[in-house]
Amino acid sequence: MLEKILLLDKELLIYLNGLGSETFDGLWLFITKQTNWIPFFIFLLYLVYKKLGVKQSLIVLIFVAVLVAATDQITNLFKYEFQRLRPCSDPAINTIIRVVKSSETFSFFSGHAANTMAVAAFLFLLLKKQYRYFWLIFLWPLIFAYSRIYLGLHYPIDIMCGYLCGWITGYLMHKAFQYSYNRNFIYRK
């Protein structure tokens, strides 16, 4: 059963990665670089500030920093435990796919997918009642994670498991935030 799932995973990677072309490689290299998302992060911070004020925004930033650090550590534990080669480094597949970017680290599961989903989930749960269309925040992890498949850096299962980890950690961090807020550990407006 596991072998069949991994085979389907490779076939899906080959298909999705094969949709790319040299014309769009620069765009996806731009998308996958985290620092290029800084204007989006500033926009998210503005949305938080607009609804929560300065002090609570700073507290949210602390929670997000702890969330990203925790998600990173969980991701690293999995990567070094499973030691799955990235598609770009796997000799069984790297000659079949388009390798746009290489990396020597392990693949399972995607830290990019986990971190973006964790932050998106946390902020969504925090602000969904304040902003009608805030569910659109989930386009960010979707686009960001697809860039990893496009570039040949992750298999689809790496992305899906990263999403699952991110959703769980984001949800748990939101619960911790709510608990702290309800117990008056967090400054209220």
Side-chain angles (χ1 to χ4, degrees), residues 84-105:
R84 184 181 195 191
L85 293 177
R86 291 181 182 267
C88 60
S89 302
D90 187 350
I93 196 168
N94 68 1
T95 57
I96 302 170
I97 63 169
R98 298 179 65 252
V99 177
V100 182
K101 185 175 179 177
S102 294
S103 177
E104 298 300 318
T105 59

Side-chain angles (χ1 to χ4, degrees), residues 13 16 32 88 114 124 128 159 176 178:
L13 169 74
L16 292 174
T32 205
C88 60
F124 173 75
K128 67 182 178 182
I159 301 298
Q178 282 183 317

Side-chain angles (χ1 to χ4, degrees), residues 172-185:
L172 293 174
M173 188 59 70
H174 179 256
K175 287 295 182 190
F177 183 87
Q178 282 183 317
Y179 178 82
S180 300
Y181 186 83
N182 292 336
R183 297 280 191 247
N184 292 320
F185 298 140

Side-chain angles (χ1 to χ4, degrees), residues 1-8:
M1 178 71 174
L2 181 60
E3 288 177 19
K4 184 170 180 140
I5 291 171
L6 293 176
L7 178 63
L8 290 172

Side-chain angles (χ1 to χ4, degrees), residues 26-92:
L27 171 67
W28 290 103
L29 284 166
F30 180 85
I31 287 171
T32 205
K33 191 171 182 182
Q34 294 163 329
T35 55
N36 292 333
W37 287 88
I38 290 174
F40 180 70
F41 301 151
I42 291 169
F43 174 68
L44 289 176
L45 182 59
Y46 169 74
L47 292 178
V48 171
Y49 162 75
K50 187 176 169 187
K51 291 299 179 184
L52 302 179
V54 174
K55 290 181 181 179
Q56 284 190 357
S57 295
L58 291 173
I59 293 167
V60 167
L61 276 176
I62 292 168
F63 271 80
V64 167
V66 170
L67 174 61
V68 169
T71 307
D72 268 344
Q73 294 310 307
I74 294 167
T75 300
N76 287 333
L77 283 171
F78 275 80
K79 282 186 179 188
Y80 290 102
E81 179 64 30
F82 287 95
Q83 298 186 3
R84 184 181 195 191
L85 293 177
R86 291 181 182 267
C88 60
S89 302
D90 187 350

